[in-house]
Amino acid sequence: MQRRSFLKHGTLAAGAATVAAPVLAQGGPAISWRLASSFPKTLDTIYGSAERFTRRVAELTGGKFVIRQFAAGEIVPGLQVMDAVQAGTVEIGHTASYYYFGKDPTFAFDCAVPFGLTSRQQTAWVDQGGGRELLRDFFKGHGLINLMAGNTGTQMGGWFRKEIKTVADLKGLKFRIAGFAGRTMERMGVVPQQIPGGDVYAALEKGTIDAAEWVGPYDDEKLGLVKVAPHYYAPGWWEAGPQLSLYVNIKEWEKLPKEYKAAIEAASFECHVAMQAEYDARNPAALARLIKNGAKLHTFSKEIMDASFKHATDIMEEEAGRNAAFRKIYEPWKRFRNDQNQWASVAEAPMQNFLISAGRK
């Protein structure tokens, strides 16, 4: 690891409690910000990550830099958080960049694209692989500073009312899915639907939709979808490692003392790592409970995975051909992904596959 990066994120290595909060705050001004979240409080792991962030910023600045957090809808709707930060309605927001796919598909690289990077790979790309520089340049053009602020790990492929075995089974399927994934699914005959999370259960129960994707076992369990769509599929190939991010209004960022900027960077990296750890700890037990309550676990067939990969690749290549901003990130990102997957096949994948096999005996 580079020395500068180590120093920046040193709170992780030493433990959060070892950072003496008053040191950063000596002589610092009192500042109050508002943070708009795209997420409801019921998503306690994702929403809670930003709570951790605001708490740590206050601790690192001796209570002089206070950031108040607001759930989706309290200041602006969840899908308008980035717009609110750009407009200066709030100074900072916690959201997922692929929500803004419709503005420019390039935004998705700061979160997830189909058959993209895993959680660890995404962190490696942003922190050590040139991703931060590419993304900062892109977001600067939109008046924003971007910071990593969480990852769920590879998500599930969704809840289906019936089994899906072949590409033909996808034809006419009304599936709650959007963005790059929705565009990919559309090429296989799926009819993408955009429905708020709180309405998904009723839509499945009434047959308004045939399937819905959410997050993973821990969060999915809360929606009770197993009762109305028992077929639970994996993997969510459109979200191999979806990153949540903090976006700061660039004008507000430039006003901050350097010590406060350092506090934001350190606190955001802490909450980034902690979110993944929380999901890894909570998902296994949640999945076991779902299966006990009737979930039928499936993996997408090779036919479906192959077709999805082909269409997703075609769509990204087409976008790169017409969108210079997308192409500028996509080409080095693609090389990084391919190198990472080759390396993973050498040691980590064989080790993981052996342990999975051994655990079934």
Side-chain angles (χ1 to χ4, degrees), residues 142-155:
H142 294 273
L144 300 167
I145 293 290
N146 59 298
L147 302 109
M148 292 187 290
N151 203 305
T152 67
T154 303
Q155 295 192 5

Side-chain angles (χ1 to χ4, degrees), residues 55-334:
R55 182 173 66 250
R56 290 296 291 138
V57 168
E59 291 170 353
L60 289 167
T61 59
K64 292 189 174 182
F65 190 1
V66 176
I67 302 175
R68 292 178 296 149
Q69 182 176 350
F70 297 86
E74 291 184 343
I75 296 179
V76 294
L79 299 183
Q80 295 177 22
V81 165
M82 184 180 288
D83 305 286
V85 177
Q86 289 175 302
T89 305
V90 295
E91 294 82 4
I92 186 170
H94 187 225
T95 186
S97 67
Y98 61 10
Y99 292 160
Y100 310 95
F101 172 87
K103 295 176 181 291
D104 185 337
T106 312
F107 278 110
F109 284 111
D110 201 39
C111 183
V113 298
F115 297 97
L117 303 173
T118 65
S119 175
R120 276 180 52 192
Q121 291 170 349
Q122 177 76 7
T123 298
W125 176 61
V126 174
D127 195 52
Q128 299 289 327
R132 178 181 285 110
E133 292 76 15
L134 289 166
L135 291 169
R136 282 280 168 93
D137 183 62
F138 173 73
F139 279 98
K140 183 179 180 180
H142 294 273
L144 300 167
I145 293 290
N146 59 298
L147 302 109
M148 292 187 290
N151 203 305
T152 67
T154 303
Q155 295 192 5
M156 292 294 287
W159 298 88
F160 293 72
R161 298 177 72 200
K162 64 178 183 179
E163 282 193 67
I164 303 296
K165 297 180 179 179
T166 67
V167 172
D169 292 334
L170 295 171
K171 297 273 193 317
L173 189 86
K174 297 187 292 292
F175 189 11
R176 181 200 178 271
I177 195 167
F180 257 134
R183 189 181 291 183
T184 303
M185 286 284 196
E186 201 167 22
R187 293 197 178 186
M188 295 186 287
V190 169
V191 183
Q193 307 287 309
Q194 295 193 46
I195 297 174
D199 298 333
V200 170
Y201 184 96
L204 282 168
E205 186 177 38
K206 295 174 182 177
T208 307
I209 59 174
D210 304 303
E213 63 89 29
W214 189 231
V215 182
Y218 180 71
D219 290 326
D220 290 10
E221 184 181 25
K222 299 170 188 174
L223 295 184
L225 302 184
V226 65
K227 300 173 185 176
V228 289
H231 299 282
Y232 199 25
Y233 275 83
W237 45 260
W238 49 91
E239 292 174 308
Q243 176 184 293
L244 289 304
S245 295
L246 287 162
Y247 296 108
V248 182
N249 180 288
I250 198 165
K251 292 180 181 178
E252 296 298 329
W253 175 261
E254 290 170 350
K255 294 177 187 177
L256 291 176
K258 63 180 182 180
E259 295 85 0
Y260 287 16
K261 291 178 181 177
I264 284 179
E265 289 176 337
S268 66
F269 200 81
E270 268 189 47
C271 76
H272 176 72
V273 174
M275 183 191 292
Q276 182 63 78
E278 289 177 7
Y279 272 112
D280 284 344
R282 296 177 181 183
N283 275 329
L287 179 60
R289 290 191 297 270
L290 286 168
I291 292 172
K292 183 178 179 180
N293 289 325
K296 299 173 182 178
L297 200 59
H298 307 277
T299 56
F300 288 121
S301 67
K302 188 175 186 303
E303 177 188 333
I304 289 175
M305 292 294 287
D306 285 343
S308 300
F309 182 77
K310 178 188 181 303
H311 289 304
T313 302
D314 288 346
I315 289 168
M316 286 193 283
E317 292 289 340
E318 291 163 11
E319 188 65 35
R322 61 175 172 257
N323 183 337
F326 187 92
R327 182 170 61 253
K328 183 179 179 180
I329 296 177
Y330 175 63
E331 293 298 339
W333 172 91
K334 182 170 60 173

